[in-house]
Amino acid sequence: MDHWYRTILDKYCRHYGVGMVLFGSAVGNVSQLAQLPVVVRRGAQAKAVYLNTRSEVLRILRPGQVLTDGLPEVTTYFESNHSSFEPISFASFDPLPSNDVPSSDADSPPAPRAAPVWPVLLDYGLCDGIQKVFFGDDLNLWLNKLILLDAVSFLTRTRMSFPLERYLMIDIDDIFVGEIGTRMKVDDVMALLDSQKMLSQYIDGFRYNLGFSGKFYHYGDEAEDQGDDALIEHRDQFWWFDHAFDHMQPHSTLNASLLITQMKRNYNFAKEHGIPVNSEYAVAPHHSGVYPVHEPLYEAWKRVWSVKVTSTEEYPHLRPARRRAGFIYRNIMVLPRQTCGLFTHTIFLDKYPGGKERLDQSFFGGELFQTIAFNPVNIFMTHLSNYGNDRLGIYTFSNVVRFVAAWTHLRLKAVPPVALAKKYFEFFPEEKDPIWVNPCLDKRHLDIWSKNESYCERLPKFVIIGPQKTGTTALYTFLNLHPLVHSSFKSQETFEEVQFFSGGRYYRGLDWYLDMFPWPNETVKYQFEKSANYFDNELVPRRVAALLPRAKLVTILLSPSQRAYSWYQHMRAHEEPMSLNYSFYEVVAASEQTGADPTLLDLRNRCLGPGMYALHLERWLSFFPSNQLLIIDGNELRSNPAAVLNRLQRFLKTKPYLDYSKLLKFDPKKGFFCQVTHGSTQCLGRSKGRKYPSMDEPSANYLREFYKKHNVQLIKLLNRLGYQIPEWLESELVAN
């Protein structure tokens, strides 16, 4: 790092008590760390790695075990004689038996072995006032990943760490489902009960969670049917959940009544066989209809099973697994579901893909172990067939919990599904709001969506994002003159605007949004929507980018002072109470320091906030590339709309090209351009182009000063994007 930048960083860390995590490597085989009494060396592959039993850093990790597998081919380690430095882990170049970990008072294994080296190092900061943790090797070694978690916790004084509790639920889908020869027999059920008893020694409150499909009860051979009966006999030992009577994928039907009928059959089956029906949890076969959401499924779940919780591996996408998340839809909490390396076809150990060694790697420090270590809440998906045959489900989870207990201080717990969901959203409250992504960009989503790929053609090709009172309605009207350009359908609530991404309509889901647009055909090629309140809403850019990542964006800017004044007059015309009770100056100059009414302050923020153009544009540009954004000068749109629309057509690449100069004509009575229809002009309604009194001088002066820094930032942004600076922007800065 450049010396000047390092000096600034060090000063910041010392001032605010911020620690550092660093990854070091030797230049050649040995080098000295700058300004610190530490040498970095590179050596051969270590034979064993173990943890320092005296390290204050270790919180998740439990010292006492020896790691001998999967070690890096080259070992990078540190040396220091200064008291500020202490090893977090040791590496030995001699074989070290697993029961021969040095005691807390020993610096190295017993002679004649060579002294161990330090691949991860703690610096207490005695030399430069900054606590640090140095990693010699990268994070490919699973042990280093957990040391990193502990290091972050230590350096932030546990502010950046989860509690040591880890909540687990193991779902067994497809109970009673499966081909003859793959189902559970009585011995398998007894083994399942024995494993549940064993797992409960490691997981407080543990029970397997069984998802059943009643139609397939007694569909096996004689021994397997007896296995079904054994599950029923011991039903009170397990948790149970609905998994669809006939294992039908819900997205395959739009008939909510059919889904309700099927669920009632499974419910009645449960009641007849004494299976508990109060878990308020359900899982759809193949996660169908959970995400992308299928409205009839959620409706049927609520009506028949009073479902409050479900889970899926598909939100927002299957891969990467670490980014799976939860959300809440129609008051049903949807939790992320994790895989554990077991699927319906992985039923024999000798036929496991990659062999026993690959499965073992998963729980001996691999993906399954890390999933538990890194996530405070986990729901694991397994299947009936994983507990018959070679019982790989039992093999997998019995091994992983033992490994967790041996290597960590984590406390494993199990709670029923509703309590688990509440716990999840305590950890991740920011995930409650869903994010709708484009299902046509994910084949797995397409496979479990009630619509087909053609529906995605209804999604808009571009969006007019506002802000309000800049001419968006005029642009919307003029664009609709193009024979192949069509706006969204009008709404009784919001007129020509959809306002899907900015409010409660977002929770109506993707299907509702699709229905707001015409089907593409020979006369409908370019659908669009206009919602002027999108521009300054903090949530909207992320939502639009998730669903419409390829859409183009159009925004209109004019003097922020004039825009604010026009918006205020618009509120007065609509008899908004606060705007009628206060003058424009009283609104814009209101502040918390003067004890202003909170409702007045809200009006002020709504009035002035959208005019902070650079702030909002930068937010949009953090989700969209600049070549998908067109910025229109609002004054030019008013004075020369044909030129603006011609430029917009090139930006959108609409065909055929339409000469708007023949379709628009200036109306001297209105004072702006109107569309030409059958030789006469047709202008916007009375609410557009109102004549207002001129803005008072105190308000104008206040707003010039208020928007000064925002206008300066806007000029910088426009220059960066290659736009000509509008005259109104230059004038406002000159006036300052």
Side-chain angles (χ1 to χ4, degrees):
M1 180 183 289
D2 178 85
H3 176 72
W4 185 83
Y5 285 114
R6 180 58 190 267
T7 301
I8 295 296
L9 179 61
D10 287 354
K11 183 177 179 181
Y12 174 87
C13 290
R14 278 190 291 268
H15 182 76
Y16 292 103
V18 176
M20 291 184 182
V21 175
L22 302 101
F23 296 86
S25 60
V27 178
N29 290 326
V30 59
S31 59
Q32 175 79 37
L33 284 185
Q35 302 176 356
L36 290 174
V38 178
V39 172
V40 189
R41 296 185 182 275
R42 287 164 56 88
Q45 184 179 40
K47 296 292 192 297
V49 171
Y50 55 95
L51 298 168
N52 182 358
T53 57
R54 303 182 63 180
S55 176
E56 297 180 42
V57 173
L58 301 178
R59 177 174 175 269
I60 293 177
L61 282 164
R62 181 193 301 274
Q65 302 296 315
V66 176
L67 181 63
T68 58
D69 296 326
L71 301 179
E73 293 183 1
V74 176
T75 303
T76 302
Y77 57 94
F78 304 94
E79 294 177 351
S80 179
N81 293 320
H82 196 283
S83 60
S84 185
F85 301 92
E86 174 184 284
I88 297 174
S89 67
F90 295 101
S92 172
F93 295 108
D94 293 320
L96 189 67
S98 59
N99 61 351
D100 194 11
V101 178
S103 69
S104 59
D105 296 324
D107 292 329
S108 63
R113 297 190 181 103
V117 297
W118 305 351
V120 185
L121 182 71
L122 169 64
D123 176 6
Y124 282 104
L126 302 182
C127 296
D128 59 5
I130 304 171
Q131 289 189 332
K132 295 175 282 292
V133 173
F134 293 90
F135 287 82
D137 297 312
D138 58 27
L139 297 179
N140 287 328
L141 182 65
W142 69 263
L143 187 64
N144 282 355
K145 293 179 182 179
L146 265 68
I147 294 176
L148 176 62
L149 288 184
D150 281 346
V152 171
S153 177
F154 176 81
L155 295 172
T156 62
R157 299 171 179 83
T158 72
R159 288 193 299 271
M160 293 181 64
S161 60
F162 286 120
L164 290 176
E165 288 79 14
R166 294 293 185 271
Y167 293 87
L168 272 66
M169 188 163 74
I170 301 176
D171 287 352
I172 305 180
D173 295 355
D174 304 345
I175 294 296
F176 309 132
V177 181
E179 297 179 359
I180 293 176
T182 67
R183 299 158 67 103
M184 295 175 70
K185 302 174 183 178
V186 173
D187 287 349
D188 299 320
V189 175
M190 296 302 104
L192 185 69
L193 286 166
D194 288 342
S195 71
Q196 179 170 279
K197 184 177 180 180
M198 184 279 295
L199 290 173
S200 66
Q201 298 175 15
Y202 294 88
I203 308 172
D204 183 34
F206 176 76
R207 289 189 182 195
Y208 285 111
N209 196 27
L210 276 54
F212 65 98
S213 301
K215 177 180 178 179
F216 302 99
Y217 179 65
H218 282 180
Y219 263 54
D221 60 25
E222 182 178 357
E224 291 170 337
D225 288 350
Q226 291 173 356
D228 289 354
D229 292 336
L231 285 170
I232 296 296
E233 179 184 353
H234 297 281
R235 56 190 173 273
D236 293 335
Q237 302 298 309
F238 306 110
W239 292 329
W240 295 79
F241 64 91
D242 170 60
H243 197 48
F245 180 76
D246 60 357
H247 211 250
M248 179 183 73
Q249 296 187 37
H251 81 278
S252 62
T253 178
L254 297 175
N255 188 339
S257 297
L258 176 60
L259 290 177
I260 290 171
T261 299
Q262 292 293 318
M263 288 186 189
K264 285 182 176 178
R265 294 182 70 183
N266 219 31
Y267 184 90
N268 292 335
F269 170 85
K271 296 291 282 187
E272 291 168 6
H273 291 83
I275 295 173
V277 295
N278 58 352
S279 73
E280 299 176 310
Y281 176 71
V283 173
H286 305 284
H287 307 286
S288 159
V290 181
Y291 188 84
V293 298
H294 185 45
E295 196 70 29
L297 171 63
Y298 283 78
E299 177 64 24
W301 266 344
K302 292 174 76 71
R303 290 183 59 180
V304 179
W305 286 98
S306 301
V307 168
K308 294 182 179 178
V309 185
T310 185
S311 61
T312 182
E313 60 183 12
E314 297 294 343
Y315 176 77
H317 299 283
L318 177 68
R319 301 290 182 194
R322 68 180 183 278
R323 292 187 180 173
R324 292 177 197 163
F327 66 97
I328 299 176
Y329 182 68
R330 295 198 59 185
N331 294 320
I332 292 180
M333 295 176 280
V334 183
L335 301 185
R337 223 178 187 207
Q338 305 295 347
T339 53
C340 60
L342 300 178
F343 305 94
T344 53
H345 61 278
T346 50
I347 59 179
F348 297 111
L349 189 57
D350 62 350
K351 295 182 180 178
Y352 188 86
K356 177 179 180 295
E357 181 181 358
R358 182 177 177 185
L359 181 59
D360 289 354
Q361 287 175 350
S362 176
F363 41 78
F364 293 147
E367 182 177 357
L368 177 57
F369 167 76
Q370 292 179 38
T371 299
I372 295 172
F374 297 155
N375 296 295
V377 176
N378 287 286
I379 299 176
F380 289 107
M381 175 180 66
T382 63
H383 304 83
L384 170 83
S385 56
N386 303 137
Y387 297 87
N389 309 289
D390 282 355
R391 303 171 185 165
L392 296 190
I394 295 174
Y395 175 76
T396 295
F397 285 102
S398 61
N399 276 291
V400 74
V401 297
R402 290 189 182 105
F403 194 82
V404 169
W407 276 96
T408 79
H409 292 108
L410 294 175
R411 298 186 289 270
L412 305 183
K413 294 186 175 184
V415 294
V418 174
L420 186 70
K422 291 178 179 178
K423 185 64 66 175
Y424 181 88
F425 287 109
E426 286 177 12
F427 285 119
F428 305 107
E430 71 282 359
E431 291 184 9
K432 291 180 179 179
D433 279 353
I435 288 289
W436 310 131
V437 301
N438 189 328
C440 294
L441 302 180
D442 186 324
K443 184 181 183 304
R444 289 183 61 93
H445 286 178
L446 265 180
D447 291 341
I448 54 174
W449 188 33
S450 59
K451 305 293 191 290
N452 56 50
E453 197 165 4
S454 65
Y455 274 80
C456 291
E457 294 302 314
R458 297 180 75 177
L459 290 170
K461 306 300 185 296
F462 65 97
V463 181
I464 301 173
I465 61 175
Q468 293 175 310
K469 306 309 296 177
T470 58
T472 56
T473 300
L475 183 63
Y476 163 91
T477 303
F478 297 157
L479 279 169
N480 274 309
L481 296 175
H482 195 292
L484 300 185
V485 176
H486 288 264
S487 64
S488 56
F489 298 129
K490 290 189 176 182
S491 164
Q492 292 183 345
E493 303 168 75
T494 52
F495 305 102
E496 79 272 8
E497 299 196 348
V498 180
Q499 296 184 8
F500 173 68
F501 296 101
S502 57
R505 295 171 189 82
Y506 191 71
Y507 305 106
R508 297 179 184 178
L510 175 58
D511 291 355
W512 181 89
Y513 187 60
L514 286 169
D515 288 341
M516 293 300 297
F517 296 93
W519 279 99
N521 54 45
E522 291 188 0
T523 62
V524 179
K525 297 292 186 183
Y526 306 96
Q527 302 97 314
F528 77 98
E529 70 140 310
K530 185 271 285 189
S531 295
N533 64 358
Y534 287 173
F535 180 76
D536 55 301
N537 188 299
E538 293 184 4
L539 297 175
V540 169
R542 178 171 177 246
R543 289 175 171 179
V544 175
L547 184 59
L548 309 172
R550 299 169 183 170
K552 293 191 174 181
L553 310 173
V554 180
T555 185
I556 306 171
L557 306 184
L558 48 73
S559 163
S561 301
Q562 291 300 323
R563 193 219 67 82
Y565 187 59
S566 176
W567 185 88
Y568 167 79
Q569 295 292 352
H570 179 77
M571 291 294 103
R572 287 178 63 86
H574 285 78
E575 299 183 346
E576 198 279 333
M578 295 299 288
S579 65
L580 295 175
N581 293 336
Y582 292 92
S583 69
F584 182 58
Y585 182 79
E586 289 173 325
V587 171
V588 300
S591 68
E592 293 182 3
Q593 287 73 22
T594 60
D597 186 323
T599 309
L600 176 60
L601 291 174
D602 177 68
L603 183 71
R604 177 186 189 268
N605 293 336
R606 290 161 56 207
C607 181
L608 301 184
M612 304 173 186
Y613 294 144
L615 173 69
H616 304 309
L617 287 171
E618 291 286 12
R619 186 185 302 118
W620 282 97
L621 290 170
S622 69
F623 290 94
F624 287 89
S626 59
N627 63 2
Q628 286 180 230
L629 171 69
L630 179 68
I631 301 173
I632 292 174
D633 179 355
N635 284 358
E636 184 185 10
L637 177 63
R638 187 182 183 96
S639 63
N640 191 2
V644 170
L645 287 157
N646 290 341
R647 188 162 63 251
L648 180 56
Q649 287 183 95
R650 292 194 294 273
F651 172 71
L652 299 174
K653 299 180 180 179
T654 55
K655 294 179 181 180
Y657 174 81
L658 189 65
D659 186 356
Y660 276 93
S661 64
K662 298 178 180 179
L663 300 175
L664 303 175
K665 183 178 180 181
F666 184 78
D667 187 303
K669 291 183 179 180
K670 278 284 189 177
F672 52 75
F673 281 81
C674 303
Q675 65 187 74
V676 177
T677 304
H678 304 300
S680 61
T681 57
Q682 181 178 342
C683 298
L684 298 176
R686 294 180 180 179
S687 64
K688 304 300 178 182
R690 291 191 186 95
K691 302 295 183 181
Y692 305 129
S694 298
M695 189 190 311
D696 60 282
E697 193 63 26
S699 295
N701 291 336
Y702 182 92
L703 291 178
R704 272 195 294 270
E705 186 61 31
F706 176 84
Y707 282 120
K708 180 179 179 180
K709 64 179 180 180
H710 299 289
N711 286 337
V712 169
Q713 292 300 317
L714 179 60
I715 282 185
K716 293 179 180 178
L717 175 61
L718 293 177
N719 281 330
R720 191 179 86 216
L721 298 178
Y723 281 88
Q724 183 177 348
I725 305 304
E727 290 184 8
W728 58 261
L729 182 54
E730 291 182 338
S731 299
E732 293 214 353
L733 288 175
V734 168
N736 271 288

